[in-house]
Amino acid sequence: MITVKDLHKYYNDHYLFKGISLDVKKGEVVAIIGPSGSGKSTFLRCINGLEKFQKGEVIVDGIKLQSINRSNPSKEDLEVIRKIRLKVGMVFQQFNLFPHMTVLENIIEAPVKVLGIDRNEARENALTLLRRINLENKIDSLPEDLSGGEQQRVAIVRALAMKPDVMLFDEPTSSLDPETVGEVLSVIKDLVDRGMTTLIVTHLMQFAREVADRVVVFDKGDIIETGLPDEIFTNPKNERTKSFLSRIINK
Amino acid sequence: MLKNKFHLLNIFILVGLFVFLSVNTSLAQQNNNALDKIKERGSLIWGADAEGGAPYIFPDPDNPENYIGFEVDLAEAIAKKLGVKALHKQNAWDGLVPALERGDFDIAMNGIEITDDRKEAILFSRPYYVYVEQLVVRKEEDNINDLNDLKGKKVGTLSGTVAQDILQNLGGVDVRIYPGQVQPYEDLAIGRIDAVLLDLPIAAYYGKPNPKLKYAGEPMGEGLYGIAIRQEDEELKVKIDEILAELLRSGELKKIYEKWDLWNEAQDELYEKMQVESGYADLEKSRQAPIYTFFPLLLKGAGITIIISVVSMGLAVTLGLFLTLIRLYGRAPFTYLSTAYIEIYRGTPLLIQLFILYYGLPNIGISLSPWVVAFLGLGMNYAAYEAEIYRAGISAIPKGQMEAALSLGMSRSLAIRRIILPQSLSISLPGITNDFIALFKDSSLVSIIAIVELTKTYNILAASTLRFFELGLITAVLYFGMSYPLSLLARRLENSLKRKKVGV
């Protein structure tokens, strides 16, 4: 489903990625872990074009995105990115719900304006999705009236409303109170169980262990280790993986 | 301690206000001098050259010690309205203005043409006669029919007249200048000169009746006679204007001219000139007039201010948004152009911009009406400021909003339109309404390009009534009355935007 080939990214003279690659199969769930600043989020954002890269390829379901000149992307490049974004949904650490719109409006804005779906149909779809997460009674609420957990769940539904083939989660629970983390995780788990191709950057090792098919370990802009969750968590091969995990798990 | 200081401050303010008020009223009284002197004296002394001065002023053929003429009649009519007698003082035509400035008489009235040169030295009353120039030649003359035929000819005229200017500007004319108006026609009859160009009243008296002479061609040119008044005697001028207007209205002036065979169609212009001024109260009346007599005019000025401000702000708000969007989201050369526009318009005074639009552009062939200049000048200037306010609002929106929108597959422009701008507007709104309120006051600048809005109306009224303080207060209240509702409206808008609902 997703192929990242030899990705290079640098800022002025400062290198972030010096050629990393990753393959994600359809239906696969990949957890990306690693120390802060290791480039996990940046990597994720390269996949849906929120970050530009200087060299390499990103291929999503056959759509190929090559490196883009930062300041003046060509029309073709923008087309490619647009197509990719229609296939890839993203959930942010900060939720990023549109505060001037209700929950319903948040969810149906893109389907109606971008996909041209009939408003009533979009509303029905939204209701269905909201029911699945038990928030249909909040359909006319404003984001400011919702708790953090509720907002993030709405954000997930908003992304799902575009019927993506892949979902990217960028530390989805890092801004949440511990009480509400659980409700968001259960939504993600539900999604995963339904077979959604998923990439999730997370600090929650337990959850990663639970849902991931594969774990990818980042450090200093490099993928230092990949493997099955059990392997990574109980028997990491790389020294840096070991020290990272020991810092996290021994809390 | 603080209380005492307050007390002191209050006293200072009260004293200051008192001084200000008394100074203001006493200043107003100083100008009474000329008019008061006349009334005290019981006579209006007017200067004119009676020598050969028909039909203006000349010795009565039946009784040479008496002077008659249409200006004699007019002087008497004016004096009567003032409640005094008219006293004529003889002075050579050439020296009338200098003598007036010296104080030899109160006014000079002798067919003095209203010209810009003279206006630099003295005041003129409203025009009391519209004169035309008439060419006179010998009866047997067939070669001279209009001004163009005068080249190479000897033409006589009175010194210091517009006729003299006309002849001299023609070029190629042998201009003979006479100190009086009788001699040119005498010389013409004898054959010393070929033609005479002078004002119609003169031609009518000395040219026409002479069997040896005749008119050549139609009357040409048009000018105005005004009564000459010293520059410092403003109140006298206002009073005389008022009297002339009355005489015109009542028909008395027309009767005088008809008596001397001077009335013609051209005099209709005198009435037209009256129309323009009839809206403004005369000084005497306006002293006692209740303050609400000025309301209609001030309200009209306020109405114009409102129109100018609203339309200009509309332009500013629209253009400003356009500028910001180009600057933030546009492509290379245009982003620099937008920035340049903003910096230039913010960095130069609005007054200068108005001047350039109004007085400068005609130099390259673009002549805009005052209204267009007002809208463009104010609108384009304020657009630069609104652009920056929009930009501030937009940059206050967290980056994640655009990212979320883009991730959902929205195009940049859709995201800007539906997600960024609506949010940024509630941030920008206070700044924009603030500017709108400022614009109302800045609109007073367009008075320099001939638009009579509220401030200009105030200036005109105050100058002619000298009631600077009262009128000023009312004007300020009117401005406040236009601005404050805006503030309230703005607050309501902000509150409703705060509810953050976008109409679905």
Side-chain angles (χ1 to χ4, degrees):
Chain A
M1 185 57 117
I2 302 180
T3 305
V4 177
K5 244 193 243 176
D6 196 31
L7 201 67
H8 284 72
K9 182 175 169 68
Y10 47 82
Y11 247 148
N12 301 324
D13 283 329
H14 176 64
Y15 255 94
L16 269 97
F17 306 134
K18 281 191 223 158
I20 47 179
S21 305
L22 184 67
D23 269 312
V24 180
K25 288 193 279 286
K26 186 169 157 76
E28 204 181 348
V29 179
V30 175
I32 302 177
I33 65 173
S36 301
S38 54
K40 312 189 293 291
S41 290
T42 313
F43 176 75
L44 211 63
R45 290 150 66 91
C46 283
I47 295 177
N48 78 339
L50 286 181
E51 297 279 350
K52 310 280 197 281
F53 51 92
Q54 278 73 22
K55 201 171 142 196
E57 265 176 15
V58 167
I59 307 172
V60 176
D61 198 16
I63 307 170
K64 198 186 284 196
L65 176 65
Q66 273 151 340
S67 64
I68 291 176
N69 178 345
R70 204 193 168 91
S71 50
N72 240 344
S74 73
K75 255 199 172 152
E76 294 79 39
D77 289 327
L78 291 175
E79 240 331 89
V80 170
I81 292 184
R82 206 184 64 85
K83 286 211 190 97
I84 289 184
R85 285 176 182 158
L86 289 174
K87 292 200 177 272
V88 176
M90 186 150 196
V91 175
F92 299 86
Q93 180 177 342
Q94 304 294 344
F95 331 143
N96 288 336
L97 287 182
F98 307 135
H100 60 300
M101 294 179 168
T102 62
V103 163
L104 174 66
E105 287 160 356
N106 261 276
I107 298 173
I108 68 173
E109 177 74 11
V112 169
K113 289 281 188 310
V114 178
L115 298 178
I117 293 178
D118 170 61
R119 177 163 245 112
N120 288 324
E121 194 186 322
R123 193 174 196 276
E124 283 310 309
N125 292 341
L127 265 170
T128 309
L129 288 167
L130 284 171
R131 268 188 218 114
R132 252 168 45 190
I133 57 171
N134 284 325
L135 281 178
E136 74 263 28
N137 58 322
K138 299 282 188 186
I139 193 166
D140 291 317
S141 303
L142 286 174
E144 64 186 0
D145 300 324
L146 302 176
S147 73
E150 289 168 337
Q151 287 187 55
Q152 190 63 300
R153 287 188 281 153
V154 169
I156 296 174
V157 160
R158 178 177 68 173
L160 289 175
M162 290 295 281
K163 303 210 169 46
D165 296 319
V166 179
M167 282 289 276
L168 306 176
F169 292 87
D170 188 0
E171 301 200 36
T173 58
S174 295
S175 296
L176 295 175
D177 295 327
E179 309 93 78
T180 50
V181 165
E183 63 199 40
V184 173
L185 292 182
S186 63
V187 171
I188 300 178
K189 183 146 198 330
D190 181 65
L191 208 55
V192 155
D193 288 341
R194 286 170 194 254
M196 172 69 76
T197 314
T198 307
L199 266 83
I200 173 164
V201 171
T202 185
H203 286 302
L204 304 175
M205 301 305 147
Q206 188 56 36
F207 183 66
R209 198 166 179 167
E210 219 181 292
V211 295
D213 296 322
R214 198 164 27 127
V215 172
V216 170
V217 185
F218 261 74
D219 189 27
K220 295 198 178 64
D222 220 354
I223 297 178
I224 57 176
E225 195 166 347
T226 75
L228 297 172
D230 283 330
E231 287 171 20
I232 300 289
F233 288 117
T234 49
N235 221 350
K237 296 196 188 70
N238 194 306
E239 276 310 306
R240 278 139 68 186
T241 314
K242 280 190 198 149
S243 59
F244 166 67
L245 284 176
S246 63
R247 284 202 310 272
I248 300 276
I249 290 175
N250 286 347
K251 265 209 220 134
Chain B
M1 233 10 231
L2 197 63
K3 261 203 172 152
N4 284 344
K5 285 203 177 144
F6 249 132
H7 222 54
L8 212 60
L9 188 63
N10 282 342
I11 292 179
F12 266 124
I13 292 177
L14 280 171
V15 169
L17 207 60
F18 192 78
V19 170
F20 172 69
L21 278 171
S22 44
V23 166
N24 226 358
T25 36
S26 70
L27 269 179
Q29 268 145 23
Q30 255 169 39
N31 279 334
N32 273 347
N33 284 347
L35 200 52
D36 277 1
K37 274 204 205 129
I38 293 173
K39 295 206 170 146
E40 273 178 76
R41 209 196 297 128
S43 61
L44 171 73
I45 304 181
W46 63 290
D49 189 352
E51 213 175 314
Y56 302 86
I57 168 175
F58 61 107
D60 186 350
D62 294 338
N63 191 356
E65 268 152 34
N66 266 355
Y67 285 134
I68 57 173
F70 79 90
E71 280 174 347
V72 175
D73 291 350
L74 186 51
E76 275 170 12
I78 294 176
K80 191 159 169 212
K81 293 269 183 195
L82 284 172
V84 300
K85 290 173 92 134
L87 267 183
H88 165 254
K89 185 140 194 247
Q90 169 63 29
N91 203 87
W93 157 257
D94 283 7
L96 274 176
V97 171
L100 172 71
E101 286 177 279
R102 221 168 31 236
D104 289 359
F105 16 88
D106 298 315
I107 58 171
M109 174 166 58
N110 203 196
I112 303 177
E113 298 126 337
I114 301 179
T115 62
D116 285 353
D117 282 1
R118 292 206 177 101
K119 274 189 190 161
E120 282 177 27
I122 42 122
L123 284 181
F124 273 109
S125 70
R126 60 174 312 131
Y128 63 88
Y129 188 74
V130 181
Y131 70 83
V132 289
E133 305 292 341
Q134 179 64 56
L135 203 55
V136 174
V137 297
R138 280 185 294 280
K139 257 241 163 60
E140 58 275 14
E141 180 76 61
D142 279 339
N143 294 334
I144 298 179
N145 289 310
D146 66 288
L147 282 182
N148 295 323
D149 300 328
L150 294 178
K151 295 230 159 75
K153 303 272 197 259
K154 298 188 276 269
V155 185
T157 186
L158 184 60
S159 77
T161 54
V162 170
Q164 178 185 340
D165 290 341
I166 294 178
L167 289 174
Q168 278 171 339
N169 287 338
L170 265 181
V173 178
D174 188 356
V175 184
R176 301 291 171 90
I177 300 180
Y178 293 81
Q181 52 209 36
V182 190
Q183 299 93 313
Y185 293 103
E186 311 240 329
D187 272 5
L188 177 64
I190 327 176
R192 280 210 186 108
I193 54 178
D194 302 317
V196 175
L197 181 68
L198 274 175
D199 305 0
L200 188 61
I202 305 171
Y205 251 82
Y206 298 104
K208 195 145 174 241
N210 192 327
K212 295 199 190 130
L213 306 175
K214 69 174 181 187
Y215 282 170
E218 291 301 306
M220 67 196 84
E222 236 180 49
L224 303 164
Y225 288 154
I227 298 176
I229 302 165
R230 277 183 294 275
Q231 274 181 338
E232 58 266 27
D233 295 346
E234 271 182 40
E235 197 177 303
L236 178 59
K237 165 193 156 65
V238 174
K239 183 66 182 165
I240 288 186
D241 281 353
E242 190 191 311
I243 293 176
L244 284 173
E246 269 177 59
L247 293 173
L248 197 55
R249 261 192 297 263
S250 63
E252 227 178 306
L253 197 62
K254 188 170 177 192
K255 270 208 213 108
I256 295 178
Y257 290 139
E258 280 173 342
K259 172 179 164 193
W260 293 95
D261 206 11
L262 291 174
W263 185 262
N264 53 32
E265 266 167 28
Q267 305 315 314
D268 280 348
E269 233 187 276
L270 293 174
Y271 284 103
E272 278 166 61
K273 297 215 183 296
M274 221 175 74
Q275 238 61 304
V276 175
E277 292 166 30
S278 62
Y280 300 102
D282 301 304
L283 186 63
E284 270 316 304
K285 284 205 209 114
S286 62
R287 296 248 125 153
Q288 292 109 42
I291 198 69
Y292 55 74
T293 43
F294 304 112
F295 282 4
L297 218 60
L298 285 169
L299 282 173
K300 180 171 177 217
I304 297 196
T305 292
I306 291 179
I307 294 177
I308 293 178
S309 304
V310 169
V311 175
S312 302
M313 196 59 184
L315 174 61
V317 158
T318 316
L319 181 57
L321 184 59
F322 179 68
L323 284 167
T324 287
L325 290 178
I326 299 253
R327 180 177 178 168
L328 289 177
Y329 301 113
R331 297 218 160 203
F334 300 109
T335 53
Y336 299 129
L337 284 175
S338 172
T339 307
Y341 177 105
I342 292 171
E343 292 311 325
I344 290 174
Y345 270 89
R346 285 200 307 176
T348 51
L350 174 56
L351 193 62
I352 302 289
Q353 291 164 19
L354 286 172
F355 270 136
I356 292 179
L357 278 173
Y358 195 65
Y359 296 111
L361 281 187
N363 286 335
I364 57 170
I366 306 176
S367 193
L368 302 167
S369 82
W371 283 90
V372 173
V373 171
F375 297 140
L376 280 183
L378 285 167
M380 288 173 77
N381 178 283
Y382 269 71
Y385 294 93
E386 304 325 311
E388 288 298 275
I389 293 179
Y390 283 126
R391 189 166 72 92
I394 290 176
S395 40
I397 305 300
K399 206 170 59 133
Q401 289 291 300
M402 178 59 99
E403 287 180 350
L406 291 175
S407 300
L408 287 168
M410 291 195 216
S411 66
R412 209 135 216 244
S413 60
L414 184 63
I416 293 170
R417 223 180 346 119
R418 298 284 295 174
I419 308 300
I420 306 293
L421 268 183
Q423 293 182 61
S424 73
L425 276 162
S426 56
I427 299 177
S428 302
L429 194 62
I432 294 178
T433 51
N434 193 50
D435 272 356
F436 197 3
I437 293 172
L439 180 58
F440 261 89
K441 266 65 108 280
D442 263 348
S443 68
S444 61
L445 283 174
V446 306
S447 56
I448 57 145
I449 54 170
I451 296 185
V452 183
E453 38 66 68
L454 183 53
T455 294
K456 184 69 174 179
T457 305
Y458 163 73
N459 282 336
I460 294 175
L461 282 177
S464 68
T465 65
L466 304 180
R467 291 164 86 165
F468 288 93
F469 188 63
E470 289 171 275
L471 290 170
L473 226 53
I474 298 177
T475 306
V477 167
L478 278 172
Y479 270 112
F480 184 75
M482 293 188 284
S483 304
Y484 191 57
L486 257 183
S487 283
L488 295 176
L489 187 69
R491 226 152 301 218
R492 273 181 67 190
L493 259 175
E494 286 167 39
N495 285 335
S496 68
L497 271 184
K498 264 202 194 122
R499 239 162 283 128
K500 283 181 200 155
K501 270 199 153 212
V502 155
V504 186

